[in-house]
Amino acid sequence: MEEKVVAVIMVGGPTKGTRFRPLSFNTPKPLFPLAGQAMVHHPISACKRIPNLAQIFLVGFYEEREFALYVSSISNELKVPVRYLREDKPHGSAGGLYYYRDIIMEDSPSYIFLLNCDVCCSFPLPDMLEAHKGYGGMGTMLVIKVSAESANQFGELVADPTTKELLHYTEKPETFVSDLINCGVYVFTPDIFTAIQDVSTHREGRANLRRISSFEALQSATRTLPTDFVRLDQDILSPLAGKKQLYTYETMDFWEQIKTPGMSLKCSGLYLSQFRINSAHLLATGDGTKNATVVGDVYVHPSAKCIQLLSVSYFCAQIGPNVSLSANVRVGAGVRLISCIVLDDVEIKENAVVIHAIVGWKSSIGKWSRVQADGDYNAKLGITILGEEVTVEDEVVVINSIVLPNKTLNVSVQEEIIL
């Protein structure tokens, strides 16, 4: 009998992802397009490659109506059932899984994938599943080696170099532990539900103790957590490390966390370069004779138009590398686009330049204008962001700035946040 698999993707909610503003004001962060497709589309389409996949669940606390349209269209497109499950309140990364355990176990799956939506990687899920079956433990986590300087921003871990067993896990340590970090992608057996229940039961027991020792008073931080709020890292991974239950699978590919607009631009480029390997049909081409000249990896929505002047090739726009043009974008002759995400219904007029920027929905960039930045993806003003319906008038230069929605710029700005 075939062993069924289900996947659960944690999408968070509107109180999360505040660093993603102004791009998340009207669009939930998981639906923000990277390489022309919703952020959550990339892990969903990776799940499609898992053998015997029965269902995909998106768990979060956005309103259901915000995901209804997307969920129905992606289910039809991928021919796999995708359901959105709304949490009544945050339950923690493991608590949310447990809260919906009956629905997740409807198909009696043998394996449950758990992914975080704001992770960008190649998602080697079938290989990870094979490794997990070989280890014979309760769970396997995707890990990657990073520089020692950046490791403490993530969950650091120590794994047995031979057996790959997780021996030690600590979340964002103050001192260096290891250059191996947790990628936020896991596969578990259904035993994970027992482990989560044990945490809740233990916490309930502690809360019911009438007399609390002075040591337990010091531990008050954990005592005050609700019994149904269970964190995967601190409450499950750390205590179960070294007990022959959890194992690691190391990826040699790219991996990033998408916490800010700057990182979304970087990750859009990483996904575009991956398209070259597994979805080359999604990449645009053009040599400048009948349409724009395309350089490197570029996604152009079928409805986007590059407007020509007299069909003379030197008037042509040049697009790329790392450019994503969404629906109904209009690009004038002589425009130069490099490393940018241009969202729906934007117009970029003749000879404008956009470099290291995200141009919000329904915005307009005037003739001979420049919207650009240094391209430091980690810096607050490392890329320029135009919110929704921003107008940059002709011959205006916008450098390393963030412009909130519904603004008109008729003077040049540099390193400013325009409220």
Side-chain angles (χ1 to χ4, degrees):
M1 195 176 123
E2 288 182 335
E3 293 180 310
K4 287 184 183 168
V5 181
V6 297
V8 178
I9 302 173
M10 302 308 249
V11 298
T15 54
K16 302 274 184 185
T18 51
R19 281 182 281 174
F20 212 70
R21 293 172 181 162
L23 301 174
S24 55
F25 279 153
N26 294 324
T27 298
K29 179 182 164 184
L31 299 184
F32 183 80
L34 306 180
Q37 297 172 328
M39 188 184 293
V40 73
H41 181 101
H42 299 280
I44 288 175
S45 56
C47 290
K48 173 76 173 154
R49 300 194 293 270
I50 304 168
N52 308 320
L53 180 73
Q55 263 198 97
I56 298 171
F57 301 98
L58 308 182
V59 176
F61 39 100
Y62 288 99
E63 294 290 341
E64 284 179 45
R65 60 182 165 72
E66 298 194 74
F67 275 83
L69 200 62
Y70 176 75
V71 162
S72 82
S73 72
I74 195 73
S75 301
N76 291 334
E77 182 188 327
L78 297 183
K79 307 286 183 281
V80 64
V82 179
R83 285 174 71 181
Y84 177 66
L85 303 174
R86 183 175 187 263
E87 296 180 79
D88 56 343
K89 60 178 182 178
H91 289 95
S93 42
L97 191 70
Y98 187 75
Y99 185 75
Y100 283 111
R101 63 196 178 280
D102 294 341
I103 295 174
I104 291 165
M105 291 303 295
E106 272 174 358
D107 292 301
S108 305
S110 303
Y111 304 102
I112 301 152
F113 272 92
L114 179 64
L115 300 88
N116 284 306
C117 166
D118 61 356
V119 159
C120 166
C121 67
S122 61
F123 297 107
L125 306 182
D127 295 344
M128 200 176 157
L129 181 59
E130 283 310 302
H132 174 70
K133 290 176 181 177
Y135 298 147
M138 178 184 80
T140 298
M141 60 196 290
L142 190 68
V143 302
I144 192 169
K145 270 198 170 67
V146 297
S147 69
E149 301 82 56
S150 65
N152 67 349
Q153 300 166 35
F154 309 102
E156 293 182 27
L157 56 104
V158 178
D160 185 301
T162 311
T163 65
K164 308 298 179 193
E165 187 198 346
L166 178 70
L167 299 177
H168 177 72
Y169 183 86
T170 177
E171 186 67 18
K172 297 179 183 167
E174 289 180 16
T175 54
F176 178 74
V177 174
S178 160
D179 59 358
L180 264 188
I181 64 160
N182 174 8
C183 290
V185 177
Y186 315 85
V187 57
F188 295 108
T189 64
D191 293 338
I192 183 65
F193 293 118
T194 311
I196 299 169
Q197 189 177 9
D198 288 348
V199 172
S200 292
T201 309
H202 176 68
R203 201 174 278 160
E204 231 166 72
R206 291 262 300 272
N208 291 338
L209 283 174
R210 292 224 180 104
R211 297 178 64 197
I212 297 170
S213 71
S214 57
F215 174 73
E216 289 222 331
L218 289 172
Q219 305 292 313
S220 61
T222 53
R223 278 196 308 112
T224 54
L225 284 172
T227 54
D228 59 352
F229 187 91
V230 183
R231 303 157 300 181
L232 192 63
D233 33 31
Q234 291 103 315
D235 298 326
I236 303 290
L237 302 180
S238 294
L240 292 181
K243 295 186 177 171
K244 302 219 176 328
Q245 295 199 56
L246 300 173
Y247 291 82
T248 61
Y249 180 81
E250 188 177 347
T251 176
M252 301 298 172
D253 283 340
F254 62 91
W255 180 86
E256 295 288 351
Q257 244 185 334
I258 316 167
K259 295 294 185 192
T260 60
M263 286 311 297
S264 74
L265 184 52
K266 181 178 185 178
C267 292
S268 190
L270 290 170
Y271 281 137
L272 285 170
S273 57
Q274 199 190 14
F275 284 173
R276 196 160 286 285
I277 301 162
N278 58 23
S279 304
H281 65 282
L282 292 172
L283 293 174
T285 55
D287 59 6
T289 50
K290 292 184 178 173
N291 48 19
T293 303
V294 170
V295 183
D297 300 324
V298 171
Y299 170 85
V300 177
H301 189 275
S303 64
K305 293 182 181 67
C306 292
I307 304 157
Q308 304 294 49
L309 268 189
L310 309 172
S311 296
V312 179
S313 58
Y314 60 78
F315 275 122
C316 241
Q318 192 171 342
I319 301 174
N322 181 18
V323 171
S324 171
L325 303 184
S326 294
N328 305 314
V329 167
R330 298 176 305 290
V331 176
V335 164
R336 187 71 179 97
L337 305 178
I338 303 173
S339 183
C340 57
I341 296 172
V342 182
L343 298 164
D344 297 359
D345 305 307
V346 165
E347 181 171 14
I348 302 173
K349 295 178 182 172
E350 295 93 273
N351 303 306
V353 175
V354 181
I355 304 175
H356 299 309
I358 297 176
V359 183
W361 305 264
K362 303 190 186 88
S363 289
S364 167
I365 297 175
K367 297 173 185 176
W368 297 101
S369 288
R370 296 182 73 91
V371 174
Q372 64 185 73
D374 308 338
D376 179 350
Y377 299 122
N378 294 307
K380 186 173 183 181
L381 297 176
I383 69 164
T384 287
I385 302 165
L386 304 185
E388 190 167 358
E389 292 197 63
V390 167
T391 301
V392 177
E393 295 195 346
D394 294 353
E395 301 179 30
V396 168
V397 179
V398 184
I399 300 177
N400 290 77
S401 295
I402 296 173
V403 184
L404 267 63
N406 308 302
K407 297 283 178 286
T408 296
L409 293 183
N410 51 19
V411 292
S412 297
V413 293
Q414 183 168 355
E415 293 185 358
E416 287 192 46
I417 297 174
I418 310 293
L419 302 172

